[in-house]
Amino acid sequence: MNKKPSSDETTNQKETNHNEQETLIHSEINNKQTSNKKPLKKFLKWTLGFFILFVVLIFAGYMMVILNGEKLLKENLEKMDMLEASIIYDHNGNEVRKLYKENREIVNMDEIPELMVDAFIATEDKRFNEHGGVDLWAIGRALYKDLVSGEIVEGGSTITQQLAKNMFLSSEKTVFRKVQEASIAIALENQYSKDEIIAMYLNQIYFGQGNVYGVKAASEIYFGKEDLNDLELWEIATLAAIPKAPSYYNPIDDSEKSKERRAIVLQLMYEQNLIAKSEMSEASKVDYKPISVEKQSYVSFIDYVILEAADKTGLTEDELREGGYRIYTTLDTNVQQVLEKTFSEDQWFPESGPEQQVQASMVIMDHNTGELKGMIGGRDTVQKGLNRALIPRQPGSSFKPIAVYAPALETGSWQPYSNLKDEPIKFGDYEPKNYYEHQYLGQVSMVKAIEDSINIPAVWLLNEIGIQTSLDFINNIGIELDENDRNLSIALGGLTTGVTPLDMTEAYSSFANNGTWTEATSIRKVINDLGETIYLAEPLTKEVMSEQNAYYMTKMMEEVVLEGTGYKAQMNRSVAGKTGSTQVGLPEVTDPKATRDLWFVGYTPEWTAAVWMGFDKTDTQHYLTVTSSYPAQLFSQVMTQSLADVPSSSFVKPEGVEELVQPPTSVDDLTILYDERNRAVELTWSPVEGNDNFYLVYKKEDKDKNYELVFTTFEPYVIDIAIKEKKKYQYYVITYNNKYELYSRKSNTVNIEIPKEKKNDVRFEDLFPFFR
């Protein structure tokens, strides 16, 4: 039987159990507290570890950014050299044109007004002077706005970052590119001062209009001001407004949007205490008025300058346009303006065709120095357009002095008044004709042949001296002919390729410059962006003929202008020159007056010039029907005005040169009578002074083409009985100087018709049978 415990025992047992429970509970609580402290410690340890790692990574990343920036900057240092416009100057050192791919002129910090610097900093990066290339505050603000909007609305780039992007990077919006931009910006800040960075930025930024870069070029394009210190506040603010969207905010393309953006710039400047409120208000109200831009001038000359500069310096055209070179030229702007004005006036040109305009070109050169004074390539010249002064054309008779007469004088066997044949002659398969096909004089002096541009004497004389003699002379004066030009047609300017007006100007300068050929040049010197002279012109010169023969050529070509085909080239000063024309060469065109090319090449004691005139493409609707009087009068018009301020002078005979022996005086009063009783013709004239003179009497029957020499006499009369009734006869007389072998001009021509013989008349030969 079980015994029940007593109450005391029960009570003790309960207390024991309670104590055990409390102990157990406390133990569980302690166990729980202990187990809860372990994860917290672990968490804290991991957090600290991640933080340290984060700091290390940030530091490592920062170091990588720094090192990468320095590396990128070092690798791309050449990009720090911004493209700069080259400048062309005229012969007085005045700027006439800028050459550029990017229209930019570099300015130093001391040339940039402080207010301009303030305007760009206030607009683009107000904390520019405080950050080290990257503005964390601006980046944070930009990130917040981008997150709120859900897209990239603000970049947060500093001026230094913009400079890094524009100079070294593309404009793509990627994280990698932004990191590179930041790294280069930091490197720039480490390498350059704030002044250097802002100067680079202002020289580099794009200002619209296709190719305007940097504040100076922008100032000139939009306001016509070269000195930035001349800019007013509203103009500075207008420029500072453009970089945000150059095609949108530049004042030429949209003056209203430009004005609106300018107001924002001014407001920013006011808020940053850079200008007063009244200044802001006044500058905001100004309306932009575009500056007047003159039509581009001097294009033919400048195009040639670029060609010559590239040839002489070895630089490419792109290098010349972007390297900041200073090219000092020989351009006389007065001469060039005269050329361009005259070529714009229709009165100096023959009538144009239905689809083409009659074109022309002209080159003017100082033959004493070789310096080109002016050049024009056409009546409608445009930059990099067709420059006809450099296009080969057939020179016609203007080539005769070069190909025939000068080399003939140089042989020593011919003189200006030497007699040349002028009669129909066939040279193998070649049968040249005179311009007036049926007019031949039998023989003429060299002077006469040049003066009237007679073809046969030129071809005959070339045949006499030999083609090689001619080719050697032509080559010596800088003209290279085709290998197929070894023929007599070169006497009349019939060339395979032709010659340019510039070629002809150089060649004729040899006559004007006492026998010295001088290379034409449009450049005096070229200076690079470091101020170093990389090219200094030293035109080539060489003696191509004696002073005496050059003087003789000048005296003969003076006659061309005074009495011959070039009379329209006469000026208020001494002029020598030669005309030229070429046949149209189209079987469908039967007009005897039709021509393809017209020339006048001539010179004064000061300058030499060549004029070409014609159509670019000759066809049945486009050919000329006028003479070389047109280029001759164009020469006169341009040269008269161009030389207006140059003292007039005459051609001077060089020392030691013999004066040109003049031919004997011509007979000018030849008279003719018919002696009916004696059936004879009597010719009489006044005697010509000179002991060495005698007379040559020429005669032809009306039906004959050519005259024949029928009498040689020392007396001023002859009697001709070799006549027939009902025939018509013509006579003229030439005076001949036996000492110098010189011929006068022919006398006046006299005509007579022999009447029918009357029956039972006593004939002269019946009275004097020995005359039969």
Side-chain angles (χ1 to χ4, degrees), residues 363 365 389 393-402 477-479 495 498-511 517 578-580 599-603 608-612:
V363 177
M365 168 184 171
R393 302 291 294 220
Q394 299 298 312
S397 292
S398 65
F399 208 59
K400 290 174 182 175
I402 300 167
I477 59 172
I479 296 176
L495 308 178
V499 289
T500 70
L502 180 59
D503 291 333
M504 294 297 282
T505 303
E506 281 186 324
Y508 270 62
S509 73
S510 305
F511 306 135
W517 175 88
K578 183 72 186 73
T579 56
W599 290 78
F600 183 82
V601 189
Y603 50 95
T608 300
V611 180
W612 167 84

Side-chain angles (χ1 to χ4, degrees), residues 395-401 405 435-436 447-455 508 556-570 575-581 598-601 626-635 745:
S397 292
S398 65
F399 208 59
K400 290 174 182 175
Y405 297 120
Y435 183 76
Y436 298 104
V447 174
K448 179 66 174 176
I450 294 178
E451 180 183 313
D452 292 341
S453 198
I454 308 172
N455 289 340
Y508 270 62
M556 288 193 289
M557 286 194 282
E558 273 192 291
E559 292 299 314
V560 173
V561 176
L562 291 172
E563 302 286 346
T565 57
Y567 71 98
K568 285 285 188 178
Q570 292 177 11
V575 184
K578 183 72 186 73
T579 56
S581 62
L598 297 177
W599 290 78
F600 183 82
V601 189
V626 296
T627 68
S628 293
S629 62
Y630 270 88
Q633 70 181 3
L634 185 62
F635 171 94
R745 294 176 181 273

Side-chain angles (χ1 to χ4, degrees), residues 740-752:
Y740 294 104
E741 298 182 351
L742 297 177
Y743 296 82
S744 74
R745 294 176 181 273
K746 71 177 185 177
S747 69
N748 56 302
T749 301
V750 292
N751 305 278
I752 195 166

Side-chain angles (χ1 to χ4, degrees), residues 637-696:
Q637 173 68 12
V638 171
M639 293 289 275
T640 297
Q641 293 188 58
S642 297
L643 288 164
D645 297 329
V646 178
S648 179
S649 60
S650 299
F651 294 111
V652 178
K653 179 173 67 70
E655 291 185 11
V657 169
E658 296 180 9
E659 186 59 69
L660 184 62
V661 178
Q662 296 295 320
T665 305
S666 60
V667 171
D668 59 7
D669 60 351
L670 177 63
T671 58
I672 187 167
L673 292 172
Y674 175 63
D675 184 345
E676 188 174 0
R677 182 172 180 278
N678 296 314
R679 305 292 295 173
V681 170
E682 295 181 1
L683 296 169
T684 60
W685 59 89
S686 300
V688 174
E689 292 183 5
N691 297 328
D692 300 305
N693 296 334
F694 59 86
Y695 308 99
L696 308 176

